[in-house]
Amino acid sequence: MGIVVTAQALLFDMDGTLIDSTEAVERTWRRFAARHGLDAAEILAGAHGQRTVETVAEHAPPGTDVAAETAWLVAQDVADTRGTVALPGAAELLAALPRGRWALVTSAGRELAERRMAAAGLPLPEVLISADDVRRGKPDPEGYRTAAARLGTDPRATVVFEDAEAGLLAGRAAGGYTVVVGPHEGAAAEGRPRITDYLGAHCADTDDGLRLTLRASATATV
């Protein structure tokens, strides 16, 4: 079973969508939890897809300097990319995409995004929208709308790849055609096409746009 869609541009989240950085992410948040006597499992349950500053503000004890603590966490992340790998087939798909027809839209900061993509052996696109480039993080659609604008494309003519609820909501609110990557089962994933990885993915640059063929997961709704 396959997914075939035509779009003017492809917009990708990073963590959990193009790369698996789970080991590094968990190590950082566990350090934060231990530093403040917090429950790491509770933090990790809601941190995915959010900007670091938002998670810190939500969980840090009263009186914590949120900006300083966020900077400490980002420094931890930048210094520790051990275990970060690309999802199967991601490198091959990105290498096949025309320059200027895809973007990265991530809740990570720019420096961290560059470090993790390099650690996973993936190229950076011409357009990278990070947490540093938006006023409002996901689920707000600002990041995806900004990426589409910089690519010179209507966001309604994009395919958005996401693995988390906040990101799927952001992509949908921007007008993109959302594809779920991985096992997320939130409300925003209901009825959406789903892939496990990018193995077997194919992209052709046609007169009508990028014609993308993906291998759907066994539980996909197409």
Side-chain angles (χ1 to χ4, degrees):
M1 181 169 58
I3 301 166
V4 180
V5 61
T6 300
Q8 296 305 310
L10 307 182
L11 309 179
F12 296 89
D13 173 50
M14 183 179 70
D15 295 294
T17 298
L18 285 176
I19 68 172
D20 182 354
S21 57
T22 304
E23 292 182 16
V25 169
E26 290 191 354
R27 285 194 297 268
T28 296
W29 284 115
R30 290 188 189 284
R31 292 186 195 110
F32 170 75
R35 182 175 163 97
H36 295 285
L38 301 170
D39 183 345
E42 182 180 344
I43 296 170
L44 287 165
H48 193 56
Q50 285 189 327
R51 294 184 297 177
T52 301
V53 65
E54 291 157 351
T55 304
V56 171
E58 181 180 351
H59 293 282
T64 300
D65 185 332
V66 172
E69 199 65 15
T70 299
W72 179 84
L73 277 160
V74 169
Q76 296 288 307
D77 274 332
V78 169
D80 182 7
T81 58
R82 181 166 48 91
T84 300
V85 296
L87 264 65
E92 292 77 9
L93 174 60
L94 296 185
L97 297 179
R99 295 287 292 176
R101 302 291 293 279
W102 69 282
L104 195 65
V105 182
T106 175
S107 294
R110 180 169 293 269
E111 182 181 13
L112 179 57
E114 292 173 351
R115 288 273 294 170
R116 283 186 177 163
M117 290 288 280
L122 296 180
L124 288 173
E126 292 181 356
V127 174
L128 192 172
I129 306 299
S130 75
D132 304 326
D133 303 309
V134 296
R135 292 168 296 170
R136 299 173 299 277
K138 301 171 186 177
D140 191 278
E142 180 184 355
Y144 281 113
R145 287 176 177 164
T146 302
R150 292 190 185 177
L151 291 172
T153 301
D154 187 324
R156 293 171 296 181
T158 67
V159 176
V160 173
F161 294 86
E162 272 282 0
D163 73 308
E165 188 74 2
L168 289 165
L169 289 170
R172 185 173 69 188
Y177 179 89
T178 53
V179 174
V180 184
V181 182
H184 176 67
E185 295 287 355
E190 292 181 6
R192 302 308 306 151
R194 182 187 300 273
I195 61 173
T196 301
D197 53 42
Y198 302 92
L199 292 175
H202 176 73
C203 185
D205 193 0
T206 73
D207 291 340
D208 295 325
L210 300 176
R211 188 175 187 274
L212 184 66
T213 304
L214 301 164
R215 185 183 64 183
S217 74
T219 57
T221 301
V222 203

